[in-house]
Amino acid sequence: MYKQLFLTLNIILLMFFTQVSASDQFVIQNTQTLQITSEFNQQNYELYVRLPKGYKKSKRNYPLVLINDTSYSIATASGILHLIEGRDIEKVILVGISYSKGTNPLFSRTRDYTPTFAPKETQGHSKAAQQVSGQANNYVKFIDSQVLPLIASQFRVDKTRKTFVGHSYGGLLGTYIMLHQPNLFESYILGSPSLWYDNKVIFEMERRYAKHNKALPATVRYYIGGKEGGMVTDLKTFVGILDKRQYKNLDYQYKVIPNTSHFSVFALLLTEGLIDIYGK
């Protein structure tokens, strides 16, 4: 019942908080688009920047929430923020990175969000898309060297409070960032992470990190749907490893959200994660 009501609410929000432009395209209010080309893979992307209410009248710096998979996530996140920012959470700047322009979304996200080349079809993912997998390193460089500096140069961002949001392959990507460049973001909201990817290569990456590091400076909130089967087991195993490591400066929690699947869990986990990290 709760899940159905919440998803219905998001549909209503998108109806109310979008407007039709002169070209008959739907535009999310308070959101502008920036064009950017990656120096690392020469792909063209769009950045969708949603500014909080009252931004123009204030002089303060705002936390930054960076999100991927924008074909569904940016509209959902915008609707959620319209309701809860300034009420349940403090106001934030939301930035979504599009899939690369002119590229099939499956190819774009597989290329950019996965850390290793795994050409064989796995977990029902497109075998053709897997042929371009394993370029997350270039994507993270793009975020670090281009996306974050561009946003900071044009908007009042609190550079000490940046949050990465990722779901599915995006949750895998967030875990990869946390283990390879933990200072890039201060916090993470990661849902349904594909920890199974490439024979659970992320577990080996964590082992390598642990050999050389006693600290992991990050706040991370993991969420997963109760109906996600083996992915729930993988996440519990990964969190169990973190329990044993006892990394300094790592603030982590995980939650299984009951009665939700890999697809229906996103709106719920994003709301809970934002309230947990930015709750008033």
Side-chain angles (χ1 to χ4, degrees):
M1 175 68 72
Y2 174 64
K3 176 186 69 176
Q4 292 176 336
L5 288 174
F6 194 94
L7 294 178
T8 300
L9 175 61
N10 271 281
I11 293 173
I12 294 172
L13 281 172
L14 298 182
M15 293 173 63
F16 275 100
F17 302 129
T18 57
Q19 59 187 18
V20 180
S21 69
S23 60
D24 293 329
Q25 293 181 335
F26 282 99
V27 178
I28 300 175
Q29 292 183 350
N30 303 321
T31 302
Q32 55 189 280
T33 301
L34 303 178
Q35 307 295 328
I36 186 170
T37 299
S38 171
E39 297 173 354
F40 301 95
N41 66 8
Q42 289 71 54
Q43 297 292 319
N44 298 315
Y45 298 83
E46 292 182 331
L47 304 181
Y48 308 121
V49 184
R50 182 194 183 277
L51 299 176
K53 296 176 184 178
Y55 176 86
K56 292 183 179 179
K57 295 181 180 180
S58 76
K59 295 182 179 180
R60 58 166 294 195
N61 293 338
Y62 294 87
L64 172 67
V65 176
L66 186 75
I67 197 165
N68 291 277
D69 278 320
T70 51
S71 63
Y72 65 87
S73 66
I74 191 67
T76 302
S78 296
I80 291 171
L81 284 173
H82 186 94
L83 279 182
I84 69 175
E85 68 174 354
R87 299 183 178 98
D88 298 314
I89 69 169
E90 60 184 289
K91 296 179 179 180
V92 301
I93 294 174
L94 174 69
V95 176
I97 306 178
S98 76
Y99 303 123
S100 58
K101 297 172 68 175
T103 305
N104 182 307
L106 290 177
F107 282 67
S108 179
R109 70 190 307 270
T110 300
R111 179 193 64 223
D112 292 342
Y113 301 176
T114 59
T116 54
F117 180 57
K120 294 183 179 180
E121 184 177 9
T122 55
Q123 298 284 333
H125 284 249
S126 166
K127 188 174 182 179
Q130 289 300 135
Q131 305 310 304
V132 297
S133 61
Q135 300 183 48
N137 185 48
N138 283 337
Y139 189 67
V140 175
K141 289 179 181 178
F142 167 57
I143 293 173
D144 184 15
S145 301
Q146 293 182 256
V147 174
L148 294 179
L150 176 61
I151 297 300
S153 70
Q154 297 198 23
F155 305 98
R156 297 193 307 277
V157 171
D158 183 345
K159 297 179 182 180
T160 67
R161 304 178 70 197
K162 304 183 301 296
T163 300
F164 179 89
V165 177
H167 174 248
S168 192
Y169 267 1
L172 173 68
L173 173 63
T175 305
Y176 171 79
I177 295 173
M178 185 176 69
L179 293 173
H180 288 79
Q181 203 168 339
N183 294 315
L184 188 55
F185 295 91
E186 286 69 42
S187 55
Y188 300 81
I189 300 172
L190 304 179
S192 309
S194 301
L195 304 180
W196 51 264
Y197 181 81
D198 194 10
N199 296 314
K200 303 183 181 181
V201 68
I202 200 70
F203 286 82
E204 176 58 31
M205 291 179 176
E206 187 281 331
R207 283 192 289 271
R208 292 201 297 266
Y209 182 89
K211 287 182 179 180
H212 304 285
N213 299 276
K214 298 298 182 183
L216 182 51
T219 295
V220 58
R221 298 293 181 262
Y222 279 110
Y223 299 91
I224 196 164
K227 296 181 179 180
E228 296 199 58
M231 291 181 67
V232 177
T233 302
D234 288 344
L235 180 56
K236 288 182 177 179
T237 300
F238 189 78
V239 171
I241 292 172
L242 296 181
D243 289 340
K244 294 179 181 179
R245 300 295 190 205
Q246 293 293 298
Y247 288 114
K248 296 180 181 179
N249 303 319
L250 176 62
D251 176 358
Y252 66 99
Q253 297 177 18
Y254 88 99
K255 181 176 181 179
V256 179
I257 300 179
N259 302 316
T260 55
S261 70
H262 188 73
F263 306 100
S264 58
V265 72
F266 178 72
L268 299 175
L269 72 86
L270 180 57
T271 302
E272 289 203 25
L274 288 170
I275 291 174
D276 196 2
I277 293 176
Y278 293 113
K280 298 181 69 175

